[in-house]
Amino acid sequence: MSHGVPRVGGEGEGGVASSQDKIKARIKAYKELEKDVTDRIKNEDYSNTTFQLTSTLLSQNPEYYTIWNHRRLLLQHVFAREFSTSSPDNPTAEGTLSTSDDHADTTAAQKAGLSPSQHEISLLISEDLSSLLPLLKQYPKCYWIWNHRSWLLTKATTHLPAASAIKFWQGELALVGKMLALDSRNFHGWGYRRTVVEAIERLGDISMAEKEFEYTTKMIKTNLSNFSAWHYRSQLIPRLLNERNARREARAKFLDGEFELITSALYTDPYDQSLWFYHQFLMATLDTTNPQAGIILSPCTNSDRKMYLEQEVTSVREMLDGAEDCKYIYQALLEYARRWRDLGGEVEKTDMKEWLGELRKLDPLREGRWRDLEKVLGLEVV
Amino acid sequence: MSLVAGPGRGGTGSGQLPDELGLVVQKHVAYIQSLDTRRDELESHLTEHLRISGIYWGLTALHLLGQPAALPPEEVIEFVLSCLHDNGGFGAAPGHDAHMLYTVSAVQILAMVDDFVELEMRVPNGKMKIARYIADLQQPNGTFAGDEWGETDTRFLYGALNALSLLNLLPPQRKDEPPLINVTAATDHVKACQNFDGGFGVAPGAESHAGQIFTCLGALSITGELDSFLGEEGKDRLGAWLSERQLDDSGGFNGRPMKLVDVCYAWWVGSSLAMIGKMDWIDKKKLTEFILRCQDPEEGGIADRPGDMVDVFHTHFAIAGLSLIGYPGVMLVDPA
Ligand SMILES: [Zn+2]
């Protein structure tokens, strides 16, 4: 699957022969390396050399999932060996995968409450995590690299005391923060962040909801148009308020604050989809037909709902001034008007007809959808 | 057989086609056939970890183009069976480890080519063996892992249900036998992946993504819960989200808000719209034009975007997208 790779024209006349030789040589080297690694694993050669060879092969082809499996097989073997043989007078055999056996290290390990084998395992994991960083930066969308990191981290969790394991997860949180600063939409990055946060919460028996909420605030302040950060924020809020044991008053204040934040952002750029996404989320928390949104205001009566709908329709209508060609505004108006009506409110049909008319003009691609909406709203010309 | 690698070179850089240009069927057929003979290109070796899926994509595209025999069925079966492991799983190519994704591709191919006849002949109880490999990957929370190393993803869940259904070994398909998997747990997991915007993410809490929406709808459709779970309001919300994926300037789809268009979403978004009966909420003509502009009109094959390198993955999903729209000369496909 190639994404975003430009199609190239034919090679220059003179270069064809020599570049074909080069390609042949590269294929040969690659196939030899592949065979070498595969044979070694078949022969259960779990040496440092084999480990290094998997690194070389993976740096040429990080999508080669079987080689990642080989690498884990090898590490697993080394971990098991550590536990079965490790004792002060049983040094690691020549050529096997191990880290420096510095005695100062060992003392530090004892202080941290690690046995010598746990110490060795922790060093191996930490080395593998850092040696894979350049590859991750080069291929931030490669499943298998993220996958391998999370495997290493689960091994740390299994083999090490919680206090040591949590340090690894905290390191990953810092890393994923950096990765998301580079690409705020990286799907793998956000998924990894969820896994990391869950692990820290579990190991440390703490909640990260407040901290993560602050993180989304920071991300949004850096760039308002940060869709994934708005999404993450929407996921955190219901839990955050529950953990705060927030009463109705606090919840109402919170909701008002969020409306203020998003409304001022929308006034700045009503054409930004990520902002509308969040506005829709806030409105959806007030919509009884949409349980997936979670709850902010509680208890919440129909008159509360109508109050917010009225407030938001008024404010969204004002956004039209200077942005008459912004289809998201008409979409929001029609959607909120529909909910207003479902709650027994009156809506001027002429207003709705006008909004729908604008929408059709601005967005002819989705004409079928607007036609269905017209029916649902009962605006058809009879 | 090698079917994944893109061509080394070829095609016009500009990707500008005259409006009247249609689907260059014969060129695409030739392109897919040619993938078998590209062992002199490094790319063909670097994509070996996708080979069996590549064959599935190529073969399906050929079926849709009405030329199923353009890849010799015996060779296809031979290759697929050479990827089978003792545990019942398939790797991407001989010597590659078994994985859910490639097991699903293998099952899809074997179902398409000869309805598992050759498999059952050569491997005693072959279908059940494969089904057990898949079933063993189900996790306590209902989701499925990709392999023994544990990564989970709604793609694997859909793949598992899809493959078991093709094998005719889903619990409802063999009511008198003990069930191989927990269908309720699987669908509960899918439901937990839904967001307020109507879409589905890769795990509970994850942002909606067109690819994941396809897999989740596909799973619900296989278990027969699509209509009851979504309801009319749910379909409207999801349909709205999906229809917004079509972009005004190009007519193509993106996979998430504010991302680039990509021809493969013609399938992920298009089939999702079809499954909820909202195909009319997008402009099919504009989408068709976009897909056709992604073709390499000279060498065949279809790229993610006009002017980019073609590959068999995008060739397949583009043609499947055309099939959903009912493009003349392309066979109709089942959206799930
Ligand atoms: Zn694509």
Side-chain angles (χ1 to χ4, degrees):
Chain A
M1 291 166 258
S2 60
H3 282 110
V5 184
R7 209 179 292 160
V8 286
E11 215 106 356
E13 289 293 308
V16 174
S18 77
S19 81
Q20 271 188 352
D21 284 347
K22 254 189 231 159
I23 290 169
K24 257 192 202 151
R26 277 192 65 191
I27 292 177
K28 190 163 166 274
Y30 176 80
K31 296 305 279 183
E32 275 169 10
L33 176 60
E34 182 188 21
K35 188 170 182 314
D36 193 7
V37 172
T38 310
D39 287 349
R40 283 163 176 271
I41 293 293
K42 226 179 260 163
N43 299 327
E44 299 183 17
D45 168 3
Y46 300 130
S47 64
N48 190 27
T49 318
T50 309
F51 189 73
Q52 299 308 331
L53 287 172
T54 65
S55 302
T56 314
L57 186 48
L58 288 169
S59 67
Q60 290 177 30
N61 189 2
E63 299 282 349
Y64 199 159
Y65 70 95
T66 304
I67 304 302
W68 286 110
N69 293 349
H70 291 347
R71 191 180 181 91
R72 287 189 281 266
L73 211 61
L74 196 155
L75 283 168
Q76 225 168 33
H77 181 86
V78 176
F79 295 163
R81 194 182 54 207
E82 277 300 331
F83 279 121
S84 64
T85 65
S86 150
S87 73
D89 29 51
N90 192 352
T92 328
E94 197 85 21
T96 52
L97 181 62
S98 72
T99 57
S100 68
D101 37 3
D102 191 329
H103 279 280
D105 270 10
T106 322
T107 336
Q110 276 159 356
K111 257 194 207 157
L114 298 180
S115 70
S117 53
Q118 283 179 326
H119 175 59
E120 185 66 19
I121 286 172
S122 121
L123 288 178
L124 284 167
I125 291 176
S126 131
E127 277 187 14
D128 206 18
L129 286 172
S130 55
S131 75
L132 290 171
L133 275 181
L135 201 61
L136 182 65
K137 291 199 170 131
Q138 198 182 346
Y139 302 97
K141 289 178 183 168
C142 176
Y143 263 103
W144 308 108
I145 305 178
W146 290 104
N147 199 12
H148 185 71
R149 291 193 88 81
S150 81
W151 181 82
L152 287 170
L153 270 285
T154 50
K155 288 296 132 181
T157 310
T158 319
H159 294 312
L160 305 178
S164 306
I166 205 168
K167 290 211 176 89
F168 278 108
W169 288 104
Q170 281 159 346
E172 293 303 280
L173 189 63
L175 165 82
V176 79
K178 278 185 205 144
M179 296 297 287
L180 290 173
L182 293 174
D183 174 6
S184 68
R185 296 300 298 282
N186 186 327
F187 215 68
H188 308 291
W190 285 104
Y192 196 62
R193 188 174 190 99
R194 270 195 315 278
T195 311
V196 170
V197 166
E198 270 168 34
I200 295 176
E201 290 184 324
R202 202 175 48 243
L203 285 169
D205 196 21
I206 46 161
S207 167
M208 301 264 295
E210 295 282 355
K211 280 222 162 102
E212 289 299 282
F213 184 72
E214 274 168 38
Y215 170 73
T216 66
T217 311
K218 197 186 88 194
M219 290 287 271
I220 290 158
K221 283 198 172 142
T222 318
N223 173 17
L224 272 178
S225 184
N226 196 330
F227 194 98
S228 302
W230 288 112
H231 168 81
Y232 191 36
R233 190 178 182 87
S234 79
Q235 294 291 316
L236 289 164
I237 289 173
R239 201 183 130 200
L240 184 86
L241 291 171
N242 284 342
E243 285 175 8
R244 284 184 189 171
N245 287 318
R247 307 248 172 168
R248 192 186 178 285
E249 202 183 329
R251 286 169 174 273
K253 211 173 145 208
F254 185 93
L255 182 59
D256 293 342
E258 293 301 290
F259 268 125
E260 240 167 74
L261 171 73
I262 197 64
T263 306
S264 73
L266 277 170
Y267 270 111
T268 319
D269 187 1
Y271 299 90
D272 186 331
Q273 288 178 64
S274 57
L275 304 180
W276 284 109
F277 166 86
Y278 194 67
H279 195 264
Q280 277 163 11
F281 160 71
L282 294 178
M283 295 300 275
T285 64
L286 296 162
D287 179 3
T288 48
T289 71
N290 196 343
Q292 272 82 6
I295 285 166
I296 296 182
L297 191 65
S298 171
C300 176
T301 63
N302 272 354
S303 75
D304 293 324
R305 293 189 179 95
K306 285 176 87 170
M307 193 276 284
Y308 278 105
L309 278 165
E310 195 165 18
Q311 168 191 310
E312 289 311 303
V313 166
T314 312
S315 129
V316 170
R317 251 183 133 150
E318 279 165 20
M319 287 172 201
L320 272 178
D321 189 16
E324 291 84 357
D325 63 345
C326 177
K327 72 158 188 158
Y328 302 119
I329 298 182
Y330 301 106
Q331 256 172 264
L333 285 172
L334 284 163
E335 174 58 28
Y336 303 153
R338 162 154 76 155
R339 279 186 223 167
W340 171 260
R341 208 191 51 182
D342 289 347
L343 290 172
E346 292 274 328
V347 188
E348 282 291 336
K349 269 204 173 178
T350 45
D351 281 345
M352 289 172 90
K353 273 185 184 163
E354 190 198 316
W355 298 333
L356 188 65
E358 292 298 328
L359 202 45
R360 285 182 132 145
K361 252 188 280 168
L362 291 167
D363 191 14
L365 231 48
R366 279 158 280 268
E367 171 56 27
R369 183 170 146 205
W370 311 135
R371 207 169 36 229
D372 284 353
L373 183 61
E374 186 177 42
K375 275 182 227 157
V376 170
L377 295 174
L379 300 177
E380 284 164 297
V381 188
V382 193
Chain B
M1 311 240 359
S2 160
L3 273 158
V4 176
R9 42 211 73 88
T12 57
S14 70
Q16 293 302 311
L17 302 181
D19 284 345
E20 66 274 18
L21 193 108
L23 188 66
V24 293
V25 173
Q26 279 320 314
K27 292 213 164 130
H28 295 319
V29 171
Y31 165 73
I32 292 166
Q33 287 175 316
S34 80
L35 290 166
D36 196 16
T37 59
R38 291 183 182 272
R39 305 302 286 173
D40 57 340
E41 289 172 21
L42 182 60
E43 193 62 17
S44 131
H45 298 277
L46 289 179
T47 55
E48 210 171 58
H49 59 272
L50 286 173
R51 230 158 123 190
I52 202 165
S53 299
I55 292 175
Y56 169 68
W57 298 323
L59 203 59
T60 314
L62 292 171
H63 272 255
L64 292 172
L65 294 174
Q67 304 197 23
L71 288 182
E74 312 76 43
E75 279 176 41
V76 169
I77 293 177
E78 206 57 52
F79 175 79
V80 169
L81 293 181
S82 74
C83 302
L84 178 62
H85 288 249
D86 288 339
N87 64 6
F90 289 80
H96 292 236
D97 286 353
H99 191 279
M100 174 74 84
L101 289 178
Y102 309 115
T103 305
V104 175
S105 290
V107 167
Q108 287 171 312
I109 296 170
L110 294 175
M112 187 162 36
V113 175
D114 75 342
D115 197 22
F116 308 105
V117 171
E118 194 70 25
L119 168 79
E120 286 292 303
M121 233 151 61
R122 290 208 221 163
V123 185
N125 232 347
K127 280 163 58 171
M128 185 50 89
K129 219 174 147 180
I130 300 173
R132 287 202 190 283
Y133 170 80
I134 294 171
D136 284 348
L137 288 171
Q138 188 171 32
Q139 307 298 300
N141 71 351
T143 186
F144 282 79
D147 59 19
E148 61 190 292
W149 301 101
E151 182 202 16
T152 63
D153 186 323
T154 44
R155 283 184 307 160
F156 308 150
L157 188 155
Y158 164 69
L161 292 179
N162 184 18
L164 289 174
S165 147
L166 290 169
L167 290 162
N168 207 27
L169 290 172
L170 273 178
Q173 292 168 321
R174 48 200 293 276
K175 284 204 176 75
D176 302 332
E177 310 284 334
L180 291 173
I181 59 161
N182 185 338
V183 175
T184 314
T187 39
D188 284 350
H189 181 76
V190 168
K191 292 171 186 174
C193 294
Q194 199 191 25
N195 291 313
F196 87 89
D197 57 18
F200 295 80
V202 63
E207 184 183 332
S208 297
H209 180 293
Q212 308 301 334
I213 291 174
F214 166 80
T215 60
C216 290
L217 291 186
L220 291 172
S221 157
I222 290 170
T223 63
E225 289 183 70
L226 187 88
D227 293 325
S228 60
F229 176 62
L230 289 179
E232 282 317 307
E233 264 154 356
K235 284 185 188 174
D236 281 352
R237 265 196 287 276
L238 177 55
W241 191 93
L242 289 166
S243 73
E244 294 290 336
R245 304 284 60 76
Q246 187 167 36
L247 300 191
D248 294 305
D249 45 357
S250 65
F253 292 154
N254 61 12
R256 286 186 282 160
M258 307 165 84
K259 299 287 281 182
L260 288 176
V261 287
D262 180 338
V263 84
C264 60
Y265 291 112
W267 171 256
W268 309 120
V269 174
S271 59
S272 300
L273 282 166
M275 280 190 266
I276 59 169
K278 306 278 186 207
M279 208 51 187
D280 287 338
W281 284 17
I282 50 118
D283 189 326
K284 290 181 235 175
K285 186 164 169 283
K286 280 256 168 78
L287 177 61
T288 309
E289 286 163 7
F290 172 76
I291 297 174
L292 295 177
R293 277 203 306 281
C294 294
Q295 298 181 103
D296 181 336
E298 281 140 40
E299 306 287 327
I302 303 176
D304 61 346
R305 284 184 278 283
D308 277 358
M309 176 98 94
V310 305
D311 62 69
V312 70
F313 172 86
H314 288 99
T315 304
H316 161 254
F317 285 110
I319 292 172
L322 288 174
S323 156
L324 286 171
I325 308 168
Y327 188 86
V330 180
M331 316 252 276
L332 287 178
V333 68
D334 174 5

